[in-house]
Amino acid sequence: MSEPRSAPTVGQVVLGRRLLELRERAGLKREEAAHVLHVAPATVRRMEMAEVSLKIPYLQVLLKSYGVPDDEAELFVRLAEDANRPGWWQRFHDILPGWFSMYVSLEEAASLIRSYEPHFVPGLLQTEDYARGVLKSGAIGQTSPDDIERHVALRMRRQDLLTRPDAPRVWAVMDETALRRPVGGPEVMRRQIDKLLEATKLPNVTLQVAPFADGPHPGTYGPFVLFRFAMSELPDMVYSEYLTGAVYLDARSEVASHLEVMDRMAAQAATAQRTKEILRDLRKEL
């Protein structure tokens, strides 16, 4: 059987969906595909759902059974080999929960990342000291010094995507609460606000603050992140985190509801220019 791993790469998700489409186009049921491989139908399902790595010998047999031309099959196999390579974040497997490993994979592949954060500065925009203060509060359930430093290193490494050549567009809405809640003391907060102001200079980053004075808004239920991808095979996804895990939503109705809420929050929150003024004023108060 194919070997399970903590979370699929985005490439495996895309190829799994493509493998399912090819099987259905060939008019074969999972049971028939499994018979060709001499495995249980569950193995085929797990490959299609990206629950296991894509075994190359299995792929070669399936693609031939599905009537895929040799040149297309060869390309598929090459893509699968690339998709099966562990992402850089797998170096942090000792402290990275499986449910968040998928998040980092999606973050790396996204062309647009929209987020709402009511409690803290978004991870992609945190300083080391601010991140360390958040993590020491027990927000991840692991508070040993070594674990915390590993988490800080992971969070800083994730931020590299903001300035890479194919950087995604990042659009974040933060409650004023996230800026008013002291983390690590005044000096840490000053440096954190400085980093946010620097981030607003990046052409691919939009930051908005939802001020207290504006009252309630439709996103007060909790934080969430919406991912959009350049790959047409991968639908928009919503990530919503809870105390001990997270859910990934890709049903059109659920994504549409979150997108509507995000748009309404962005319309109600301070503009990007006004947000800079709010950040400067908060900086003076510290």
Side-chain angles (χ1 to χ4, degrees), residues 64-82:
K64 183 175 182 180
S65 299
Y66 297 163
V68 177
D70 290 344
D71 55 342
E72 291 183 26
E74 184 179 346
L75 175 59
F76 196 108
V77 167
R78 287 205 304 270
L79 292 173
E81 289 172 339
D82 290 339

Side-chain angles (χ1 to χ4, degrees), residues 28-48:
L28 295 178
K29 297 179 179 179
R30 278 202 183 116
E31 291 77 9
E32 293 172 304
H35 179 72
V36 171
L37 293 177
H38 304 288
V39 298
T43 299
V44 176
R45 180 192 62 78
R46 294 173 72 194
M47 292 175 66
E48 294 175 347

Side-chain angles (χ1 to χ4, degrees), residues 76-129:
F76 196 108
V77 167
R78 287 205 304 270
L79 292 173
E81 289 172 339
D82 290 339
N84 283 340
R85 293 191 181 96
W88 62 263
W89 54 91
Q90 296 301 333
R91 299 198 303 271
F92 295 88
H93 67 88
D94 55 319
I95 51 92
L96 188 61
W99 53 265
F100 194 69
S101 179
M102 180 63 175
Y103 180 95
V104 181
S105 180
L106 294 174
E107 192 176 64
E108 282 287 306
S111 59
L112 171 65
I113 304 170
R114 297 185 67 179
S115 65
Y116 165 61
E117 180 52 72
H119 305 303
F120 299 109
V121 170
L124 286 177
L125 302 175
Q126 293 179 4
T127 65
E128 283 193 31
D129 287 336

Side-chain angles (χ1 to χ4, degrees), residues 151-191:
H151 276 281
V152 171
L154 169 64
R155 195 160 296 187
M156 296 303 105
R157 174 63 177 81
R158 285 169 51 209
Q159 295 179 8
D160 289 349
L161 67 82
L162 292 175
T163 53
R164 72 188 188 194
D166 61 339
R169 184 184 177 196
V170 175
W171 186 355
V173 177
M174 299 168 48
D175 267 347
E176 187 178 341
T177 308
L179 298 170
R180 294 287 183 181
R181 176 176 286 111
V183 174
E187 184 56 35
V188 172
M189 292 303 297
R190 278 193 288 269
R191 289 198 295 268

Side-chain angles (χ1 to χ4, degrees), residues 218-280:
T220 50
Y221 296 100
F224 65 92
V225 181
L226 192 151
F227 295 105
R228 178 162 293 168
F229 308 91
M231 296 170 284
S232 59
E233 298 91 344
L234 203 57
D236 290 356
M237 288 191 185
V238 171
Y239 168 88
S240 182
E241 191 172 310
Y242 54 91
L243 184 61
T244 57
V247 293
Y248 295 87
L249 309 172
D250 63 1
R252 288 187 179 182
S253 59
E254 292 176 320
V255 172
S257 295
H258 284 80
L259 180 58
E260 180 183 357
V261 166
M262 189 72 81
D263 286 341
R264 289 171 61 191
M265 281 193 295
Q268 184 174 331
T271 63
Q273 184 57 44
R274 173 60 184 144
T275 291
K276 294 179 186 179
E277 297 171 6
I278 291 172
L279 290 172
R280 294 189 188 105

